[in-house]
């Protein structure tokens, strides 16, 4: 008798993270010697700054290798609170902070902590790939809020107002945005805060790209703009992007004590504390010199300008100028319906496959972010790689004919 291993309906309905899947495929091909231009994952190409690595080595040598408090070591929580004070003028007590295994796990813990089956969570489109899955794993219902590239992907406040129901539990904001690089205006954030207070919903603000902004404004979020709404706001952040620490897996949350307590309870029954050594490294990252962060930001700005210039020179592409993060999200749909080498391209998945197979450029299809017209390319990689990627993209698109 053949045996079909019994898997839960939950996992059968779950799609693996497309960004991680494509990145793994690109890295595997590269390791086999295939000449791949990997513009897929949102992962800074820089090495983690030296003083952060040294702090981790010291932690190991000092034997800091045991369980820590579930929500993080007290000195790290204090450093995080100081950072909120410094960057956002927001005051949090250590009981209002939790450290987790990456921003992704923070979001997972929060969803598990605040959602009951059928609770609605509003997610602006385009969205980061994991938001819908994280909500659905907590049995929440996703309500998508479309946005318009012609309006720089701004929040559609009229539509948001009309979507609110008695079941609306939360909205997830991500500014600067992955994948579009959009930054929400202060006025729009203020309106969302007022709606949240009036209609009693939670604002989850994913600020993971808050240090990578190109508008010369400091980091800001909805709670810093509307302090009266702070009780409604859960701030999610982490060190993966700002300090080039994707592999270390540290993220953190600040918010009302009740949600921190609940999320910490979930964490105590799932992963326990985040890695002890990584916590010491992050303490050094947050309290040490920030010049490497500024250097990386400068490089991202230079790359953004370069990649935008190249995209704008390719006929048929339109692309909203990113104001932060390290992605471009061009609309390639004017090439849909065209053919190259006998293959017709009709959607973003076929476009991504075509670019990978014919030109060996790895990018992420827009459908993974909720909009099939687009492709996402990360420019968190060396300029020479971006240059080669854009050369190949230009040729690949010019080979598509009706
Ligand atoms: N939010 C957004 C918008 C992201 O792009 C990422 C990507 N890594 C995360 C959260 C989670 O990052 P991490 O788990 O590495 O902290
Ligand atoms: N957040 C990054 C991205 O969007 C890393 C991959 C992931 O965590 O899904 O590419």
């Amino acid at each position: 008798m053949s045996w079909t291993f019994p898997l839960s309906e939950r996992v059968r309905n779950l799609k693996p993270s497309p960004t991680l899947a494509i990145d793994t495929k690109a890295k595997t091909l590269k390791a086999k010697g295939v000449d791949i231009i990997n513009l897929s994952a949102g992962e800074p190409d820089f090495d983690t700054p030296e003083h952060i690595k040294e702090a981790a080595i010291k932690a190991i040598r000092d034997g800091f290798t045991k369980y820590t408090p579930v929500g993080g070591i007290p000195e790290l929580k204090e450093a995080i609170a100081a950072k909120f004070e410094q960057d956002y003028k927001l005051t949090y007590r250590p009981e209002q902070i939790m450290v987790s295994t990456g921003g992704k796990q923070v979001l997972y813990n929060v969803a598990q902590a605040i959602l009951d089956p059928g609770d609605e969570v509003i997610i602006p489109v385009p969205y980061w790939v994991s938001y819908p899955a994280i909500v659905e794993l907590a049995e929440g219902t996703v309500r998508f809020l479309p946005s318009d590239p012609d309006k720089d992907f701004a929040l559609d406040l009229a539509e948001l107002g009309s979507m609110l129901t008695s079941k609306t539990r939360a909205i997830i904001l991500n500014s600067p945005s992955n994948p579009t690089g959009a930054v929400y205006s202060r006025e729009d954030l203020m309106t969302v805060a007022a709606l949240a207070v009036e209609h009693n919903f939670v604002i989850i603000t994913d600020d993971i790209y808050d240090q990578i902004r190109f508008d010369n404004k400091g980091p800001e979020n909805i709670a810093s703009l509307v302090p009266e709404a702070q009780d409604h706001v859960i701030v999610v952040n982490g060190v993966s992007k700002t300090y080039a620490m994707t592999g270390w897996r540290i993220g953190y949350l600040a918010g009302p004590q009740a949600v921190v307590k609940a999320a910490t309870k979930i964490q105590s029954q799932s992963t326990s504390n985040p890695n002890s050594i990584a916590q010491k490294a992050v303490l050094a990252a947050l309290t040490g010199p920030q010049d490497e962060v500024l250097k990386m930001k400068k490089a991202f700005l230079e790359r953004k300008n370069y990649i935008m210039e190249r995209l704008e020179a390719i006929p048929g592409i339109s692309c909203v100028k990113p104001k932060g993060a390290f992605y471009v999200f061009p609309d390639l749909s004017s090439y849909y319906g065209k053919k190259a080498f006998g293959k017709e391209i009709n959607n973003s998945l076929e476009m991504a496959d075509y670019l990978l197979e014919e030109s060996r450029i790895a990018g992420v299809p827009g459908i993974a972010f909720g909009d099939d017209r687009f492709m996402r390319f990360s420019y968190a990689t060396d300029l020479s790689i971006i240059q080669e990627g854009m050369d190949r993209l230009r040729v690949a698109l010019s080979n598509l004919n009706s």
Side-chain angles (χ1 to χ4, degrees), residues 58-107:
K58 180 170 183 317
I60 295 174
R61 294 233 158 87
D62 291 349
F64 195 72
T65 54
K66 304 282 195 262
Y67 292 132
T68 75
V70 170
I73 52 175
E75 57 271 44
L76 180 53
K77 288 188 178 188
E78 269 160 36
I80 292 167
K83 182 128 184 79
F84 277 110
E85 193 75 58
Q86 186 196 316
D87 286 352
Y88 293 100
K89 308 263 175 303
L90 284 172
T91 304
Y92 289 103
R93 287 173 281 110
E95 310 85 81
Q96 293 182 282
I97 288 171
M98 178 189 69
V99 187
S100 293
T101 306
K104 200 180 263 182
Q105 199 208 353
V106 171
L107 288 160

Side-chain angles (χ1 to χ4, degrees), residues 17-20 23 40-43 104 128-130 178 209 241 246 249 326-327 364 369 376 378:
S17 161
T19 40
L20 292 180
D23 184 50
S40 67
E43 172 164 70
K104 200 180 263 182
W128 179 47
V129 296
S130 293
N178 175 3
Y209 298 100
K241 318 291 170 172
T246 44
R249 311 304 308 127
F326 38 58
Y327 308 100
V364 185
F369 308 93
R376 189 194 78 176
S378 161

Side-chain angles (χ1 to χ4, degrees), residues 90-93 96 114 169 193 196-197 200-205 221-224 226-235 254-260:
L90 284 172
T91 304
Y92 289 103
R93 287 173 281 110
Q96 293 182 282
I114 70 171
R169 178 53 65 96
V197 173
N200 281 318
F201 62 85
V202 174
I203 299 159
I204 300 169
T205 174
N221 68 21
I222 200 156
S224 63
V226 191
E228 312 82 83
Q230 200 175 337
D231 278 356
H232 288 255
V233 179
I234 298 174
V235 186
Q257 193 175 341
V259 78
V260 170

Side-chain angles (χ1 to χ4, degrees), residues 64-365:
F64 195 72
T65 54
K66 304 282 195 262
Y67 292 132
T68 75
V70 170
I73 52 175
E75 57 271 44
L76 180 53
K77 288 188 178 188
E78 269 160 36
I80 292 167
K83 182 128 184 79
F84 277 110
E85 193 75 58
Q86 186 196 316
D87 286 352
Y88 293 100
K89 308 263 175 303
L90 284 172
T91 304
Y92 289 103
R93 287 173 281 110
E95 310 85 81
Q96 293 182 282
I97 288 171
M98 178 189 69
V99 187
S100 293
T101 306
K104 200 180 263 182
Q105 199 208 353
V106 171
L107 288 160
Y108 184 89
N109 289 339
V110 165
Q112 295 291 328
I114 70 171
L115 297 178
D116 279 323
D119 281 349
E120 293 177 5
V121 178
I122 297 175
I123 300 181
V125 184
Y127 48 79
W128 179 47
V129 296
S130 293
Y131 296 150
I134 287 171
V135 169
E136 282 161 6
L137 281 172
E139 296 181 60
T141 301
V142 173
R143 302 282 313 276
F144 290 118
L145 172 63
S147 72
D148 184 350
D150 291 336
K151 295 182 179 147
D152 286 352
F153 296 108
L155 284 166
D156 184 340
L157 296 172
E159 183 65 20
L160 172 61
S162 73
M163 285 170 78
L164 299 174
T165 72
S166 59
K167 289 283 214 182
T168 306
R169 178 53 65 96
I171 182 168
I172 306 181
L173 301 179
N174 176 219
S175 175
S177 150
N178 175 3
T180 66
V183 170
Y184 293 137
S185 76
R186 290 184 174 172
E187 296 69 33
D188 287 359
L189 290 176
M190 285 165 141
T191 307
V192 177
L195 284 172
V197 173
E198 189 188 334
H199 295 271
N200 281 318
F201 62 85
V202 174
I203 299 159
I204 300 169
T205 174
D206 178 349
D207 296 351
I208 200 111
Y209 298 100
D210 67 343
Q211 303 293 330
I212 310 169
R213 284 181 68 146
F214 309 127
D215 54 7
N216 289 323
K217 286 188 192 149
E220 62 187 15
N221 68 21
I222 200 156
S224 63
L225 294 173
V226 191
E228 312 82 83
Q230 200 175 337
D231 278 356
H232 288 255
V233 179
I234 298 174
V235 186
V236 180
N237 211 324
V239 292
S240 286
K241 318 291 170 172
T242 309
Y243 296 97
M245 293 181 74
T246 44
W248 298 75
R249 311 304 308 127
I250 297 286
Y252 51 87
L253 165 165
Q257 193 175 341
V259 78
V260 170
K261 210 169 153 193
T264 309
K265 193 157 66 167
I266 306 267
Q267 185 155 293
S268 79
Q269 293 286 28
S270 51
T271 55
S272 306
N273 62 272
N275 180 295
S276 61
I277 297 146
Q279 287 189 67
K280 285 285 192 185
V282 170
L283 183 61
L286 297 183
T287 56
Q290 303 295 307
D291 31 333
E292 294 291 320
V293 175
L294 294 176
K295 257 195 240 163
M296 291 190 258
K297 184 174 151 182
K298 199 162 157 261
F300 291 138
L301 173 63
E302 204 177 295
R303 296 163 180 189
K304 188 264 295 179
N305 289 339
Y306 175 77
I307 199 167
M308 279 305 298
E309 206 177 286
R310 294 295 309 268
L311 287 172
E312 280 166 356
I314 300 176
I317 288 190
S318 63
C319 185
V320 174
K321 268 198 186 64
K323 295 193 182 120
F326 38 58
Y327 308 100
V328 280
F329 200 53
D331 180 342
L332 302 185
S333 62
S334 72
Y335 288 91
Y336 295 173
K338 297 191 175 182
K339 280 187 201 149
F341 312 110
K343 243 187 281 168
E344 189 170 298
I345 310 296
N346 287 305
N347 54 48
S348 64
L349 278 172
E350 288 172 6
M351 179 62 86
D353 275 351
Y354 167 66
L355 294 178
L356 189 62
E357 278 161 29
E358 298 299 337
S359 308
R360 298 171 317 283
I361 311 167
V364 185

